[in-house]
Amino acid sequence: EEDKNAVIAALSALTPGAEAELLTFDLVSAAFAREILLNAFWAVLAAAVGIFFFLWWAFRSVPNPIRYGTAALVALLHDSLAVVGIFAMLGVLFDVEVNTMFFIAFLLVYGYSVNDTIVVFDRIRENLRSVRREGFGQVLDISINECLSRTVVTSLTTLMAVLVLMTWGGEVIRDFTITLAIGIVVGTYSSVFVASPVLYLGHERAERRAQEKKRK
């Protein structure tokens, strides 16, 4: 409040005979900022839990469907850390601020990343029925290659639209579009190079345990 009054007084002193008029003034307290952060945390957590149980249910026809939900959550954790980390660096370099638009875009990134992951997982589920004899690792490789072009093309077209909004959409949605652009790139990467390898590692671990039980 004191700084605001000082600025108005200084502006009025620069223009003799005319007083500076305050059009709007917003002040976000530390308590309100903590409340926004806490609500955002619960929203992200609720989205993650919902996604986990949805994937568990959606892939109930394959062995150990819980692995698919777990792999998706690991990919989402990767996306979260990457988006927050890159946004933090942009804050240091270009004074980009974390606000409500950031959290909205953050949740959208969750949905976009999971959408890509589900496409890959769904192709894996289909190929498990037809090329199971090749081994799980080979099935993953075939599935990723079959849907890689679709994933890249979809992400590129979406990213083009976001870049246009970032360039000409104005300052109001600038933070939103920046977060979304980062999330699209990271989410596309994680669907192929994080979620699928985690799924493979989980399968291999289960296979080793099964073999150890047989030996006993």
Side-chain angles (χ1 to χ4, degrees):
E1 188 71 24
E2 291 79 8
D3 292 338
K4 178 200 69 172
N5 294 332
V7 170
I8 294 175
L11 290 173
S12 299
L14 291 174
T15 54
E19 185 176 351
E21 180 184 358
L22 179 64
L23 299 178
T24 181
F25 176 67
D26 295 319
L27 178 63
V28 179
S29 67
F32 184 67
R34 283 195 297 270
E35 182 181 352
I36 293 176
L37 185 61
L38 185 61
N39 290 339
F41 170 78
W42 287 117
V44 170
L45 182 62
V49 171
I51 288 167
F52 173 78
F53 283 108
F54 169 74
L55 287 175
W56 190 357
W57 176 83
F59 290 90
R60 63 192 183 279
S61 60
V62 299
N64 296 314
I66 194 173
R67 285 204 299 262
Y68 291 80
T70 304
L73 282 186
V74 172
L76 287 178
L77 177 61
H78 164 272
D79 297 346
S80 303
L81 293 175
V83 171
V84 171
I86 294 173
F87 209 81
M89 288 189 289
L90 291 177
V92 173
L93 297 175
F94 304 106
D95 293 327
V96 178
E97 295 182 352
V98 172
N99 51 27
T100 306
M101 298 299 289
F102 169 81
F103 291 117
I104 295 172
F106 196 76
L107 288 174
L108 281 176
V109 167
Y110 257 47
Y112 191 90
S113 176
V114 169
N115 177 66
D116 266 349
T117 302
I118 288 176
V119 169
V120 177
F121 283 0
D122 196 52
R123 186 56 60 90
I124 293 170
R125 178 174 56 181
E126 293 175 359
N127 287 335
L128 278 173
R129 302 166 185 164
S130 57
V131 293
R132 190 178 182 86
R133 63 184 182 278
E134 301 290 343
F136 192 75
Q138 189 66 21
V139 170
L140 253 66
D141 188 54
I142 293 171
S143 303
I144 290 172
N145 280 287
E146 285 179 350
C147 60
L148 186 61
S149 59
R150 177 263 178 204
T151 300
V152 172
V153 170
T154 302
S155 298
L156 283 177
T157 52
T158 309
L159 187 60
M160 288 177 189
V162 173
L163 290 176
V164 170
L165 286 174
M166 187 190 303
T167 305
W168 291 288
E171 292 293 331
V172 176
I173 62 170
R174 184 65 52 79
D175 294 341
F176 173 83
T177 53
I178 291 174
T179 308
L180 204 55
I182 297 170
I184 288 172
V185 175
V186 172
T188 303
Y189 168 85
S190 68
S191 299
V192 177
F193 297 106
V194 177
S196 298
V198 170
L199 182 63
Y200 173 77
L201 291 175
H203 180 272
E204 290 297 301
R205 184 178 180 184
E207 288 290 323
R208 285 196 300 269
R209 286 183 175 179
Q211 291 175 3
E212 289 174 359
K213 288 181 179 179
K214 287 180 181 179
R215 294 191 190 102
K216 292 179 181 179

